[in-house]
Amino acid sequence: QRLSEPEWLSAFQSSEWDFMSLLEIKLPARRALARRLRAARHSVVLSMALPESEPALERVTLAGELLSDLSGLALLVRPSKRVARSEESGRALLISVRRELPRDFALWVDPGEVFFRVELPSGAGEIHWVADPLWHTRSQWGSTPIHKLHGWHEARWIRYYGDAQLKLAIKRSLQAGASHLLVGHSKREEESRTLSEILGSSSLKSAGQKR
């Protein structure tokens, strides 16, 4: 049984929300959501595809405004495979996005199934890569403070992880000193109660449900 909205707002310190879906919410409803988030001290992570053109960077400006309105924490961007193949292109795009995003908010990069990291110049601002502690290698998930469970598996798409896998993910996140563990697999909300109970006995700062 999934947690109700008030339960998961208080059970988790942060959650990942689709940027375009939030834009579609009318202003009165968005203001009411902001009040609930502030009351629960719950932070929002906005998620979008990595903008790859100058006009598309306007979405980053809008994302910054939404983060300000909704007790925001970070903008999570998902680079395309083309960007992953070109370090020079990826570096330029991420620097542009970081420049457009207010410095109050972190920039997180979710590279997908094939983990990659672009070296950025010093002074580029706060940027963290996102790794899956049950999919990526130890050196990859051990080197970033942001973790996320996607549901990837060599043979099938995982719908429910179960207690043992969730405990292993949390254990690895703690070993890595991760500050956030986001949940992005298809039955994340149904597993929220189990995850909340397991997290209750750990020192991981926050977990999130992608909505």
Side-chain angles (χ1 to χ4, degrees):
Q1 182 181 4
R2 71 177 65 181
L3 296 175
S4 65
E5 182 189 90
E7 285 177 319
W8 65 254
L9 281 179
S10 60
F12 304 114
Q13 292 184 2
S14 61
S15 55
E16 182 183 347
W17 298 62
D18 180 70
F19 167 70
M20 296 305 296
S21 296
L22 274 178
L23 275 185
E24 295 173 358
I25 299 176
K26 293 184 178 179
L27 189 57
R30 198 186 302 164
R31 286 173 176 166
L33 172 61
R35 289 193 294 270
R36 296 197 298 274
L37 292 169
R38 284 193 293 269
R41 297 182 180 179
H42 187 94
S43 297
V44 166
V45 176
L46 291 185
S47 175
M48 67 164 67
L50 176 67
E52 296 191 20
S53 66
E54 285 297 325
L57 286 174
E58 292 181 4
R59 297 203 304 271
V60 179
T61 302
L62 288 174
E65 295 172 359
L66 270 177
L67 286 167
S68 296
D69 292 341
L70 298 174
S71 304
L73 175 66
L75 174 65
L76 184 151
V77 294
R78 304 181 305 276
S80 66
K81 291 182 179 180
R82 183 187 70 81
V83 171
R85 288 193 295 266
S86 172
E87 182 168 346
E88 182 177 350
S89 174
R91 183 185 296 110
L93 284 168
L94 290 173
I95 290 173
S96 295
V97 171
R98 178 65 270 184
R99 189 180 297 121
E100 291 294 322
L101 185 68
R103 297 190 71 86
D104 294 345
F105 308 111
L107 177 61
W108 297 352
V109 185
D110 185 351
E113 292 185 66
V114 181
F115 189 90
F116 73 95
R117 188 191 298 273
V118 174
E119 294 299 325
L120 298 169
S122 60
E126 185 180 0
I127 300 177
H128 292 300
W129 265 253
V130 179
D132 190 323
L134 295 181
W135 178 263
H136 294 128
T137 66
R138 179 180 292 272
S139 63
Q140 292 165 347
W141 58 255
S143 62
T144 177
I146 313 300
H147 287 179
K148 181 176 177 180
L149 299 178
H150 289 80
W152 296 324
H153 187 273
E154 292 180 358
R156 61 182 176 81
W157 182 262
I158 294 175
R159 291 168 61 80
Y160 292 99
Y161 273 101
D163 291 11
Q165 289 170 305
L166 291 175
K167 288 178 180 177
L168 177 59
I170 291 170
K171 178 182 177 180
R172 289 180 174 178
S173 292
L174 290 170
Q175 288 174 346
S179 59
H180 292 80
L181 174 61
L182 297 168
V183 182
H185 67 288
S186 61
K187 295 296 182 180
R188 55 196 172 266
E189 293 192 15
E190 283 81 350
E191 282 200 325
S192 60
R193 188 176 297 278
T194 301
L195 183 60
S196 176
E197 291 170 354
I198 296 172
L199 283 167
S201 60
S202 79
S203 60
L204 191 67
K205 288 183 181 179
S206 62
Q209 296 168 279
K210 186 177 180 182
R211 295 199 33 100

